[in-house]
Amino acid sequence: MRISTILIKIRDRLWSAIVKFSRTKKYYPKLYKCYWHMQIFHSRRQNDNHNFYTAVPNQGAGIGHQISNWIAGYWFARQFGLQFAHIPFSNSSWEHLLGFGEDEQTFEELLAVGYKKVKLPLFDENDLEAFDLQKRIIQSYNGQKVVFVAEQDQFYQNQFGVITDIQKKFYASKARKKSNYSSEQIILILPFM
C-alpha cells in the first residue's frame, strides 16, 4: 500500500471520529468550510438549479447500506432543487442490475468539467432549522459550479420517497433489456447475489 493511500485512510478515520463526537454539538456545522462560506456570501436568489447533490455510498458497507446512502442523495437533491450526481457503488454489478448510474452524470465527470466539491454537514431531516441551514449553505453558492456532497451516512428515514424512480431505473436498465429473466424471477434471485 502506498504512503499516500495510508495517509488518506488516516485522515478519513480522524474526520469520522470528529464527526461522530461532535455531530450533536451546537458547534458541529462550524467545522465545515461551507458554513463559513455561507456566513460571508449570503445569497437571496433562488437556486439556479445548475448545481448537483450527491451522497457517497459507504464503500465498506453492504449493498443495503450503500443503496440507503444513494437514496438519501437522490432524495435530498430533489428536496434542495438540485440535480443528482451519481457516485458508483463498491460493486458495479449491483449498479448494472439495478440501473443506477445510467443516464446520470457522475461526480467524477462533473469534477472533470470544472465543478467543485463542497462537503455538507450531517443534519436531521426532521429538524427544520438544520434543514434550513443546508438550504442557506447551498444558496450561498448560487452562480458557481458546485457538487454538494452529503457527509458520510447522511440519514433519510422514509426510504420509499424515491421508489417510483428506482422502479423506473430498474425496469429501464440495460440489464433488463439483455436479461432472459422475468421481473418475478429477478426478485427471487436478488437475495442470493
Side-chain angles (χ1 to χ4, degrees), residues 171-185:
Y171 290 115
S173 75
K174 293 173 187 168
R176 290 301 75 60
K177 293 177 177 119
K178 294 178 184 177
S179 174
N180 293 329
Y181 296 108
S182 70
S183 300
E184 292 79 19
Q185 289 170 316

Side-chain angles (χ1 to χ4, degrees), residues 7 51 54 66 79 97 100 166 193:
L7 291 175
N51 289 331
T54 192
Q66 290 185 47
Q79 300 312 301
L97 176 72
F100 290 3
I166 291 173
M193 293 189 83

